[in-house]
Amino acid sequence: MKKRDFKDSLYEGIAGITKAFSNANRLEIIDLLANGEKTVEQIALQTAISISNASQHLKALKTSRLVKSRRDGQFIWYSLNGVKVMSAWQALRDLAMEHAPDVQNTLQQFRVSLGNAQSVSFQREYDNTSVFFLDVRPVDEFAAGHLPNAQSIPVDELPSRMAELPRDKTIITYCRGPFCSLADEAVQLLIANGFKAMRLEEGFLDLTLLSRS
Amino acid sequence: MKKRDFKDSLYEGIAGITKAFSNANRLEIIDLLANGEKTVEQIALQTAISISNASQHLKALKTSRLVKSRRDGQFIWYSLNGVKVMSAWQALRDLAMEHAPDVQNTLQQFRVSLGNAQSVSFQREYDNTSVFFLDVRPVDEFAAGHLPNAQSIPVDELPSRMAELPRDKTIITYCRGPFCSLADEAVQLLIANGFKAMRLEEGFLDLTLLSRS
DNA sequence: CAAGCATTTTAGAAAATACTTGAATATCTT
DNA sequence: AAGATATTCAAGTATTTTCTAAAATGCTTG
């Protein structure tokens, strides 16, 4: 085997993995799974595709070893297969957010449509004692991992549970990441009810990777 | 515009960038450009594709803003467009090296075919005074950036320039990265001539990113 | 073991896309 | 204008992707 053949084969192999990343639905699935394991049905529901389609995308991801699965009763739980998958997704996402004008524009419009919540970075606030971290993702995602000093109130329970929140602190909400709107929705709700609130720039994925480095 | 449409559009946008990465030839070009700017002809030559083909791949990369170009006389020099591109490539490469069995196997065979040089990490050796760092890439890549304490002798000049190397130290060679064979070839040559030599695990790309973090 | 639920597989068809080559064209320099 | 470098065009082939709908599988529970 010649040098050239080795190289071709190596780059070809990487391109194979990379192809698993180059589909919008699969990227959304990866982004979702970065927040904890999910069943096929949950994934299909949250990404608005059919169950059959979700299953097939998951198969593709599994073949490339980006996700793994385990069975529990009649459910099959899918999750990301290791930190390197998260890092790669984060790198691609950040690259796109910096380099792709259409992604930047859409994101900008998205945020405006959600009320343009003020955002702040974790690095700057994590030892600030006059803020209160609020995780507004579904409870199971909170259970799968969260900021150590955060409280959980899923955004759909927020209207009925505002009494649990301090009025003398700034509420800092966070959710899955830059493409997740839960934190923005929460901020809008909170501000409408007289709280001082903003959202974290980072999502759970970023916070996880931060804490590992 | 509905929430769903925003999301679809965002993930679609990222998938677009990702597609620029999902071709073996383009990955090899990126890996090459991580070591400094190159002309179309140089790229075509080193990746063993036609000039026309290289030009078209470069166009694709440029459209996705992964590379940029500048003109100097009759040459057009291409280079990577920012550190995030390098990080993304590194993340994908490392992911593949960890998760893809065929990539692992090929790499293993590749190294055996090159004499299985002993490798060592930069972190462990960088303040060791009894080693000598040798950059065996072409001179122009050395000029574009290198380890501060490294000496440059391109591997093809090595046979005639061994007198420049110390016999009382361990020579540690490095080149472009895990898919580059120059460092291994150099180690083989050096050992055959009675030197103590090994190669660095990391390549120039990794050393660059290391020094930035 | 039968029923029920969750998931996977299959098949198929439409659409889209990607890749490469070789020739022609463009852009600069000298 | 000649010469060098790079890009575009045209073309064909091949490949690939993606999704839906229906059937099949695998597991649990009564």
Side-chain angles (χ1 to χ4, degrees):
Chain A
M1 203 172 181
K2 288 216 140 71
K3 203 160 129 179
R4 181 77 256 152
D5 299 320
F6 278 118
K7 289 199 180 180
D8 286 349
S9 161
L10 286 167
Y11 290 110
E12 204 67 67
I14 302 181
I17 286 220
T18 307
K19 280 188 182 122
F21 277 103
S22 42
N23 169 276
N25 285 328
R26 287 197 292 276
L27 288 180
E28 189 169 1
I29 291 176
I30 290 171
D31 203 17
L32 193 58
L33 291 182
N35 292 273
E37 56 179 9
K38 297 256 184 298
T39 67
V40 179
E41 198 185 357
Q42 293 176 323
I43 292 166
L45 212 65
Q46 300 226 33
T47 58
I49 59 179
S50 76
I51 288 186
S52 169
N53 198 186
S55 178
Q56 284 175 79
H57 280 307
L58 285 164
K59 187 183 179 185
L61 290 170
K62 208 176 159 183
T63 302
S64 306
R65 304 180 186 240
L66 301 185
V67 310
K68 59 182 195 284
S69 65
R70 71 179 179 86
R71 175 152 224 146
D72 179 28
Q74 16 195 177
F75 295 94
I76 293 185
W77 295 86
Y78 282 92
S79 56
L80 293 192
N81 190 17
V83 194
K84 289 225 155 93
V85 180
M86 298 191 204
S87 312
W89 159 237
Q90 191 192 35
L92 290 169
R93 188 200 65 189
D94 289 353
L95 177 62
M97 283 170 60
E98 186 174 293
H99 282 44
D102 48 327
V103 171
Q104 285 177 333
N105 291 338
T106 310
L107 196 50
Q108 174 60 19
Q109 285 174 47
F110 192 24
R111 286 191 171 147
V112 167
S113 84
L114 291 166
N116 235 336
Q118 202 181 335
S119 76
V120 71
S121 84
F122 179 67
Q123 306 262 28
R124 258 187 63 177
E125 304 294 337
Y126 78 109
D127 54 2
N128 182 344
T129 56
S130 64
V131 304
F132 182 93
F133 285 110
L134 183 64
D135 187 319
V136 294
R137 297 174 302 155
V139 275
D140 54 311
E141 297 185 14
F142 181 82
H146 56 83
L147 276 187
N149 48 346
Q151 155 112 26
S152 163
I153 305 184
V155 71
D156 40 299
E157 300 177 17
L158 195 51
S160 60
R161 292 178 59 185
M162 289 206 184
E164 299 175 29
L165 297 172
R167 295 213 163 252
D168 57 329
K169 293 187 174 182
T170 299
I171 315 289
I172 300 194
T173 65
Y174 75 88
C175 54
R176 292 165 185 151
F179 309 150
C180 176
S181 54
L182 301 177
D184 302 86
E185 293 166 21
V187 167
Q188 221 170 7
L189 251 165
L190 290 169
I191 286 181
N193 282 271
F195 287 91
K196 185 141 185 266
M198 38 189 80
R199 68 161 289 171
L200 222 50
E201 278 157 19
E202 300 93 348
F204 176 65
L205 164 64
D206 307 275
L207 298 168
T208 305
L209 292 176
L210 251 180
S211 76
R212 290 184 191 242
S213 61
Chain B
M1 206 173 180
K2 288 217 139 72
K3 201 160 129 180
R4 182 77 257 151
D5 299 320
F6 278 118
K7 288 198 180 179
D8 286 350
S9 162
L10 286 168
Y11 290 110
E12 203 68 66
I14 301 181
I17 286 224
T18 307
K19 279 185 183 128
F21 277 103
S22 43
N23 170 275
N25 285 328
R26 285 196 294 275
L27 289 180
E28 188 169 1
I29 291 175
I30 290 171
D31 203 16
L32 193 58
L33 291 183
N35 291 273
E37 55 179 10
K38 296 256 184 299
T39 67
V40 178
E41 197 185 358
Q42 292 177 323
I43 293 167
L45 211 67
Q46 302 227 30
T47 58
I49 59 180
S50 74
I51 289 186
S52 167
N53 198 6
S55 178
Q56 285 177 80
H57 280 306
L58 284 164
K59 187 183 178 185
L61 289 170
K62 209 177 158 184
T63 301
S64 305
R65 301 176 189 246
L66 300 185
V67 310
K68 60 181 193 287
S69 65
R70 71 177 178 88
R71 175 152 224 147
D72 180 28
Q74 16 197 177
F75 294 95
I76 292 186
W77 295 88
Y78 281 92
S79 56
L80 293 192
N81 191 17
V83 194
K84 289 224 154 95
V85 179
M86 299 190 203
S87 313
W89 160 237
Q90 191 192 34
L92 289 169
R93 187 200 65 190
D94 289 354
L95 177 62
M97 283 170 60
E98 186 174 293
H99 282 43
D102 49 327
V103 172
Q104 285 175 334
N105 291 339
T106 310
L107 197 50
Q108 173 62 17
Q109 285 175 48
F110 192 23
R111 287 191 171 146
V112 167
S113 84
L114 290 167
N116 235 338
Q118 201 180 336
S119 75
V120 71
S121 82
F122 179 67
Q123 307 260 27
R124 259 186 64 178
E125 304 294 337
Y126 78 108
D127 53 2
N128 183 342
T129 56
S130 64
V131 305
F132 182 93
F133 286 110
L134 182 64
D135 187 320
V136 295
R137 297 174 301 155
V139 276
D140 54 311
E141 297 184 14
F142 181 82
H146 55 85
L147 277 187
N149 47 347
Q151 156 114 25
S152 163
I153 304 184
V155 73
D156 40 297
E157 301 178 15
L158 194 51
S160 61
R161 293 178 58 184
M162 289 206 183
E164 300 174 29
L165 297 172
R167 294 214 163 253
D168 57 330
K169 293 188 175 182
T170 299
I171 314 289
I172 300 193
T173 66
Y174 74 89
C175 55
R176 292 166 183 151
F179 307 150
C180 176
S181 54
L182 301 177
D184 302 86
E185 293 166 22
V187 167
Q188 221 170 6
L189 251 165
L190 289 169
I191 286 180
N193 282 271
F195 288 90
K196 184 140 186 268
M198 37 188 79
R199 67 161 289 170
L200 221 49
E201 277 158 19
E202 300 93 346
F204 176 66
L205 164 64
D206 307 274
L207 298 169
T208 305
L209 293 176
L210 251 180
S211 74
R212 290 184 191 244
S213 62

